[in-house]
Amino acid sequence: MSGSDSAPFLSQADDTDDGPVPGTPGLPGSTGNSKSEDPEVPDREGLQRITGLSPGHSALIVAVLCYINLLNYMDRFTVAGVLPDIEQFFDIGDSSSGLIQTVFISSYMVLAPVFGYLGDRYNRKYLMCGGIAFWSLVTLGSSFIPREVTPGLGVVAVLLLFLVVREPPRGAVERHSDSPPLNPTSWWADLRALARNPSFILSSLGFTAVAFVTGSLALWAPAFLLRSRVVLGETPPCLPGDSCSSSDSLIFGLITCLTGVLGVGLGVEISRRLRRSNPRADPLVCAAGLLGSAPFLFLALACARGSIVATYIFIFIGETLLSMNWAIVADILLYVVIPTRRSTAEAFQIVLSHLLGDAGSPYLIGLISDRLRRSWPPSFLSEFRALQFSLMLCAFIGALGGAAFLGTAVFIEGDRRRAQLHVQGLLREAGPTDDRIVVPQRGRSTRVPVSSVLI
């Protein structure tokens, strides 16, 4: 990729520093026959021959990976279920409570680039085994309550991962059988390529908005619902020496699980149907989910002082729409980034979504809440209103994320096509020292490597 002559990453879709391989079908200046826009998709037997995995084995691997991800989220949001007790026991405010979750989530962010680099170059199965084993040992070492169960479940995850999961060849499904395998490039070359991929950058920003909202709700919603019940007179206030436990943590957790399954399935099905007529369906569905969830989350907060039932209804609708993004964002990353850069891309997305999303949002919400409480007379109502107003920031962030996905829709077709051509060996990536000249392409001027024109 050119460093000094590079165009802005938000350039038009057909501005590219990648040079076509001579004779590339369907590209300007080629001598080959044109091919269809999308590559051929192997049938079930073809997939089994390429990957070496039967359909049943593939389904079992997916189940194991889902189980591992479930443990990840169980461990991540344990604090949220007992947050009122933590605040009461340590006598801390909302900002310090949010900082607990911020520090915890930051640990996910620190090593993500390292494992992203390793995952693009070494066996991903063994990397996951080592990571989960270390995670389980640390969790066991910090477990002082006999009823914490995640360390034992982590050991089960390592065994399943080692015995069931098989490392598939990178990019084998996307490549044609006669194209050479892709070789990893330098880490800096990977970062340059990702920075010039507008679909990846914008979809990562949109996903960061999703992480901001979900991280804020996961930590603060149970505490907010408890304060709402106190203001409504449905439950006594949490006083020093008393237990702050309530049914809201369980109810909100069940709603989150149900809306997660419902929203993911709904988003995937809507996108699958719309994709037949609109190739930009994926980012448009993500945008619709975020923009649609914003008003319902705002209504959930606004109605909390009047009806806890209405609050739960609006939370259910808002979280369902918000969850429509999860699977689609992962799919976008897979088809706009070439296989040898996907782990690095995933690591970058994790860092960005944690740094600006669910790592910082709990502390930010708590900080705003504490600042508001200081300007009002101390009371249970002021505690409720401070957290209510601070959580309204989530609706605004959700709307910004929807705008980022609308921007993704502008570039998604060109970025996806370039990734497909690169994987099939039909598009050559220019080196950083390649000279470039301006040539006409698709009715406009475009910089391409001199070597591709000379050939």
Side-chain angles (χ1 to χ4, degrees):
M1 304 288 291
S2 173
S4 59
D5 252 345
S6 59
F9 84 91
L10 289 180
S11 59
Q12 293 295 324
D14 55 354
D15 283 342
T16 176
D17 284 345
D18 295 335
V21 170
T24 300
L27 292 179
S30 63
T31 58
N33 296 328
S34 61
K35 299 180 71 174
S36 60
E37 184 70 15
D38 294 326
E40 296 180 3
V41 179
D43 55 15
R44 179 171 296 183
E45 293 183 358
L47 288 174
Q48 183 172 349
R49 183 174 61 255
I50 292 172
T51 63
L53 301 173
S54 65
H57 195 179
S58 299
L60 185 59
I61 290 176
V62 171
V64 171
L65 296 178
C66 288
Y67 168 72
I68 294 171
N69 205 33
L70 175 63
L71 290 182
N72 174 28
Y73 280 91
M74 285 176 60
D75 200 43
R76 185 182 301 186
F77 295 116
T78 301
V79 174
V82 293
L83 186 61
D85 290 295
I86 293 176
E87 286 189 321
Q88 189 270 338
F89 182 84
F90 291 102
D91 191 23
I92 57 177
D94 289 343
S95 59
S96 298
S97 300
L99 187 60
I100 295 175
Q101 187 74 357
T102 295
V103 172
F104 178 73
I105 295 296
S106 296
S107 64
Y108 288 86
M109 182 179 63
V110 174
L111 291 178
V114 177
F115 278 90
Y117 175 86
L118 297 175
D120 280 332
R121 291 159 177 81
Y122 301 101
N123 190 292
R124 294 161 289 186
K125 169 183 172 179
Y126 296 144
L127 289 173
M128 286 190 290
C129 286
I132 296 173
F134 180 77
W135 162 39
S136 300
L137 289 175
V138 172
T139 306
L140 180 63
S142 60
S143 298
F144 297 99
I145 301 176
R147 293 179 294 178
E148 286 184 350
V149 295
T150 49
L153 296 177
V155 174
V156 174
V158 173
L159 294 176
L160 290 175
L161 189 61
F162 185 79
L163 298 175
V164 175
V165 176
R166 185 183 302 174
E167 175 80 356
R170 288 180 177 85
V173 176
E174 293 97 331
R175 293 199 315 266
H176 289 310
S177 59
D178 56 348
S179 60
L182 295 175
N183 295 318
T185 54
S186 69
W187 193 59
W188 288 113
D190 293 344
L191 293 181
R192 285 197 302 267
L194 293 175
R196 293 178 54 80
N197 188 328
S199 295
F200 169 71
I201 294 294
L202 290 171
S203 63
S204 296
L205 290 175
F207 183 69
T208 299
V210 176
F212 185 100
V213 177
T214 55
S216 300
L217 293 178
L219 182 71
W220 288 115
F224 172 74
L225 293 168
L226 176 61
R227 296 182 188 183
S228 175
R229 290 187 184 275
V230 171
V231 171
L232 292 173
E234 298 180 3
T235 188
C238 183
L239 300 176
D242 297 337
S243 175
C244 299
S245 61
S246 69
S247 60
D248 292 304
S249 297
L250 178 60
I251 296 174
F252 179 77
L254 292 175
I255 289 178
T256 300
C257 292
L258 182 58
T259 55
V261 174
L262 180 62
V264 168
L266 186 64
V268 169
E269 183 61 21
I270 293 176
S271 178
R272 185 182 67 84
R273 291 178 180 272
L274 290 181
R275 203 180 297 168
R276 301 169 184 171
S277 58
N278 190 342
R280 301 175 178 179
D282 285 351
L284 291 178
V285 171
C286 291
L290 268 175
L291 294 175
S293 67
F296 286 104
L297 294 177
F298 180 85
L299 289 173
L301 297 170
C303 295
R305 192 176 175 184
S307 172
I308 197 72
V309 175
T311 298
Y312 273 123
I313 292 175
F314 288 129
I315 287 177
F316 185 93
I317 299 174
E319 285 204 321
T320 299
L321 294 173
L322 192 66
S323 299
M324 291 171 59
N325 294 268
W326 291 99
I328 301 178
V329 171
D331 197 27
I332 290 175
L333 185 147
L334 289 177
Y335 63 67
V336 300
V337 177
I338 62 174
T340 54
R341 290 181 181 140
R342 285 174 184 165
S343 293
T344 299
E346 178 68 20
F348 176 85
Q349 197 172 80
I350 288 174
V351 170
L352 184 65
S353 62
H354 285 333
L355 182 64
L356 302 180
D358 57 350
S361 62
Y363 175 68
L364 179 62
I365 296 297
L367 183 64
I368 296 174
S369 177
D370 277 351
R371 294 292 176 86
L372 291 175
R373 287 170 60 180
R374 292 171 189 166
S375 61
W376 297 330
S379 67
F380 295 117
L381 178 60
S382 65
E383 292 180 4
F384 164 76
R385 290 178 59 201
L387 190 54
Q388 179 189 41
F389 291 161
S390 61
L391 282 172
M392 287 181 178
L393 179 63
C394 294
F396 176 72
I397 297 297
L400 289 181
F405 279 119
L406 290 177
T408 306
V410 177
F411 301 97
I412 195 75
E413 292 182 84
D415 291 334
R416 179 175 188 172
R417 185 58 179 160
R418 272 193 292 275
Q420 290 172 348
L421 293 174
H422 195 131
V423 170
Q424 296 167 22
L426 302 179
L427 195 63
R428 184 182 65 84
E429 192 170 71
T433 59
D434 278 357
D435 294 326
R436 304 188 179 278
I437 61 174
V438 177
V439 300
Q441 181 178 355
R442 299 181 184 177
R444 60 186 301 174
S445 298
T446 305
R447 287 183 177 272
V448 299
V450 175
S451 57
S452 65
V453 178
L454 294 178
I455 293 175

